[in-house]
Amino acid sequence: MTHMGRPPNPLRQFVVKMHSRCDLACDHCYVFEHADQSWRGRPMVVSETVLRKTARRIAEHAAAHALDTVHVVLHGGEPLLAGRARIRAAAEELNRALAGVCDLDLRIHTNAVTLDERFCDLFDQYGIKVGVSLDGDKAANDLHRRYRDGRSSHDRVLRGISLLNEPRYRHLYAGILCTIDVRNDPVAVYDALAELTPPRVDFLLPHATWDELPPRPADDVDGTAYARWLLTVYDRWTAHGRPMDVRIFDSVLRTLRGGDSLTESLGLAPADLAVIETDGTFEQADSLKTAYDGAPATGMDVFSHSLDEVAAHPGIAVRQEGLDSLSDECRACPVVASCGGGLYAHRYRTGSGFDNPSAYCSDLKRLITDIQDRDMSDQLSRRPLTDDQLGEIASGTGSATTVELLARHQLAVNRELLAAVWRDTPRTAPGEAAWQTLTTLDTGAQESVDAVLAHPYVRPWALRSLQGDEDAPATAVRGLAEMAAAAAVRAGHAGTVTVPVHDGLLRLPTLGALTARGGTAEVQVSGDGFTVAETGGRPRPVAAKNSDDAAWRGRWAFEFDGWAVALEDTDPWRDCHDHPVHRRLGEDEAEIWRADLAAAWRWIRRELPAYAPGIASGLRVVTPLLPVEGSDVSSAARDAFGAVAIARPAAPELLALLLVHEFQHVKLGAVLDLVDLYDPTCDELFYAPWRPDPRPLEGLLQGTYAHLAVIEFWRARWRSTTGDQARKAAEQFSRWREETAEAVGTLASCGALTPLGERFVEGMHATVRRLLADDVDAEIEQAARRAAQEHRAAWAAR
């Protein structure tokens, strides 16, 4: 049920129908073969007038809501049937309308049977990423994806994908969408898709409702055939080192850790998608075509209605209410935060509408709980990185999947530390109660506990609690109670947690802090908020978000395109960065941070795209530091995975530099927790070209690895600017690659690396060699070499 008067969330994703017919006759297609048949009355090809008006509507919506990016998918039917001229017109209209407004992520989804070089050249010109529909090997694909005369489409699709795998077009390859048929061998399907080296695979449940149930084998007595099929794929994917992203698995893993889903079919994120048909009418998500005739209709079009009006349509607004929009059965389910009730269309039943669990309810519950059992166990969390994953990180970058693996291991370490703290802490009534709350929540709402335990400043608390001095027991009990209360608030768990107050502050990690007057406070959890009863005072309600209570200092949380990050200015354990932390930010200061982080993130995604997925997956907290005049200050603490600390610099581009630089330390620290790269008994000190003092081996390794990102930053800055800015960037690029190359040589010859360490340093060396191949003005390059030689000579003579 929507809240009256509350403005709708903005729309960020748009499907533009280029052609309403298709050259294949797939019998599972929701556009042509399901309940809604509105395609029959629409123009075959979208007109340029509709494209122009659509682009303007999207631009005005993006400007009104200050969106940093919009995502547009050219779709059908089969969009390639619209022809190159019409696709070019769509790209030009969108780019023209959005220029200076926001970034455009433009994609096309095709069956690829007519994909050729001319289409790929067009897509390359406009940066259009290409997703392809393919259901697996030939036998699997031919079950459904055939021409009308029964001919197979498989060979032609493979020809199109092979074109996308050519080096000149590989950057356009977005991935493969595969609709599941449980009659197909899941291993054969997975292997066939993996062989095509897609960057991502989407496994899709065939559209179904309670009126038209999904097909199931006769022996599927517990209704989990689709879950078992997917879990077989999951095991194969994991055994192979997770070589590509798989959206459904990545979404389950992210939501189990308290993050956002990557797909509308899972999670509780608000709907943010609109469809524009070939005649300019606005529709809701295409999947609704499977419910009943007219289900996606809004009664609006691009000529007469704004996207704000579309966002306020009841059918979209109800899907922006998260938990409140779900059936009673779903709200009571322990995996609801990951499942989210499943795809909205799959909940439909005549008579009760969409107020039902998914038709795949049993499958989704089994899939999520089994992945949780497999992936969140200590044994799997400690799984070493594969050679490919280690090589990927050694190159300086790291995919979302690989950084997720590092994050899962760090979470497992935090869980071990929590258990160690509990073992070593003298038993008290508050401690026992807090531990019992955590234990209860870990059984029924593990994702809430994990979200708190993954907080970067849990480990500094745990390590302090394990020191064994006279303050350690009080520190331990206070932290246990704080985490139990925060997890309870996140889970909406009804109950009371007594939290000791320290220095007048009641801390709720990942949420914020409350200025309290007494020595203890009882936190009474209720829904999305909580009530605090302080010593000697009356209970008062506090909302975890947007509270009017002046004593409540909620954490500043921002959602950018593909990156959720918080400014941490409340947690007292954030002082582990060897530099004074900033006081509590005011609203104006936080807004400046938000704008600069948004601009820095846009810069990283645009200019350093290989670094963006890792940051989006692993960097969850930025801690503001006090500035130092005339110097850019930043830090990453070895025991605070997921956080970097920065004194906000003068320009967003410099903030981008500090983010990628410090996150290198975060990644390498997590790698060093997993594998031994060097002999820990080595006590020799080494020359670091950027430091006046000699460094221990780990210090040199950390600095060298961090500077891989620094070189890439200055290279991108050099390539994307002109004039004096470009020259200064070229000078920095030349300096850092010269110094980093020397440091890599020092590491390679130090004699203290393990075999894994040697491979890791060789991976770093390969990146430096690539960067050394860039031609820079000879005068600039010679100056960089002279400076490096002079620095080394001065160091040697000290």
Side-chain angles (χ1 to χ4, degrees), residues 280-525:
T281 57
F282 285 121
E283 289 207 336
Q284 302 173 64
D286 268 353
S287 56
L288 286 170
K289 293 179 183 295
T290 201
Y292 58 88
D293 197 20
T298 66
M300 295 182 243
D301 60 64
V302 296
F303 302 104
S304 306
H305 302 88
S306 71
L307 281 162
D308 275 3
E309 292 175 279
V310 177
H313 184 277
I316 293 178
V318 73
R319 289 183 288 131
Q320 297 186 336
E321 293 301 311
L323 198 64
D324 291 342
S325 70
L326 301 183
S327 67
D328 291 342
E329 183 177 342
C330 286
R331 287 199 297 272
C333 179
V335 300
V336 65
S338 288
C339 172
L343 191 68
Y344 189 69
H346 295 172
R347 306 173 202 168
Y348 183 75
R349 187 198 299 263
T350 300
S352 54
F354 297 96
D355 189 25
N356 308 288
S358 169
Y360 290 99
C361 178
S362 298
D363 292 292
L364 293 173
K365 189 178 293 185
R366 168 78 178 272
L367 176 69
I368 293 165
T369 55
D370 277 29
I371 285 179
Q372 186 175 43
D373 289 344
R374 285 164 162 80
D375 202 77
M376 303 308 287
S377 68
D378 288 348
Q379 183 178 1
L380 184 56
S381 293
R382 291 195 191 95
R383 181 176 60 85
L385 295 163
T386 66
D387 288 345
D388 286 346
Q389 288 168 328
L390 192 65
E392 178 188 304
I393 297 176
S395 73
T397 59
S399 68
T401 300
T402 299
V403 175
E404 284 274 357
L405 177 61
L406 296 178
R408 288 195 298 276
H409 179 262
Q410 293 293 301
L411 175 61
V413 172
N414 285 0
R415 280 182 163 273
E416 289 179 356
L417 285 170
L418 178 67
V421 169
W422 178 238
R423 285 195 304 270
D424 289 1
T425 300
R427 297 296 182 260
T428 63
E432 293 273 8
W435 184 256
Q436 182 58 50
T437 298
L438 281 170
T439 302
T440 300
L441 290 169
D442 204 34
T443 301
Q446 184 179 339
E447 66 279 0
S448 298
V449 177
D450 282 344
V452 173
L453 293 182
H455 180 49
Y457 301 121
V458 164
R459 194 173 304 179
W461 159 80
L463 294 175
R464 178 66 184 81
S465 299
L466 291 168
Q467 284 186 2
D469 58 25
E470 62 181 12
D471 294 330
T475 299
V477 170
R478 186 170 63 250
L480 287 169
E482 290 166 343
M483 287 186 289
V489 171
R490 282 181 162 275
H493 172 74
T496 299
V497 181
T498 301
V499 183
V501 171
H502 183 64
D503 290 339
L505 201 68
L506 187 154
R507 165 184 175 257
L508 294 180
T510 73
L511 297 175
L514 184 80
T515 301
R517 292 180 291 273
T520 63
E522 287 188 344
V523 180
Q524 179 72 45
V525 177

Side-chain angles (χ1 to χ4, degrees), residues 76-123:
E78 170 49 48
L80 298 190
L81 293 178
R84 280 175 287 279
R86 197 54 51 90
I87 293 173
R88 180 185 300 276
E92 288 180 347
E93 291 292 351
L94 288 162
N95 277 285
R96 184 182 302 117
L98 292 165
V101 177
C102 69
D103 291 340
L104 169 65
D105 174 24
L106 185 56
R107 297 171 182 253
I108 193 165
H109 187 76
T110 174
N111 58 34
V113 297
T114 58
L115 185 66
D116 58 18
E117 291 186 8
R118 288 182 296 171
F119 273 123
C120 287
D121 288 339
L122 173 64
F123 300 155

Side-chain angles (χ1 to χ4, degrees), residues 238-312:
T238 299
H240 285 188
R242 303 182 180 181
M244 68 279 196
D245 294 343
V246 177
R247 194 190 300 261
I248 189 169
F249 301 150
D250 291 333
S251 293
V252 171
L253 294 169
R254 284 169 64 96
T255 54
L256 286 172
R257 291 180 52 232
D260 293 330
S261 173
L262 301 171
T263 170
E264 66 170 331
S265 61
L266 292 169
L268 294 169
D272 61 358
L273 177 142
V275 177
I276 298 92
E277 292 287 352
T278 55
D279 58 0
T281 57
F282 285 121
E283 289 207 336
Q284 302 173 64
D286 268 353
S287 56
L288 286 170
K289 293 179 183 295
T290 201
Y292 58 88
D293 197 20
T298 66
M300 295 182 243
D301 60 64
V302 296
F303 302 104
S304 306
H305 302 88
S306 71
L307 281 162
D308 275 3
E309 292 175 279
V310 177

Side-chain angles (χ1 to χ4, degrees), residues 17 47 101 242 288 384 431 457 467 494 525 534 573 581 608 614 780:
K17 296 300 186 75
S47 69
V101 177
R242 303 182 180 181
L288 286 170
Y457 301 121
Q467 284 186 2
V525 177
E534 298 173 54
W573 295 102
V581 295
L608 296 173
I780 292 175

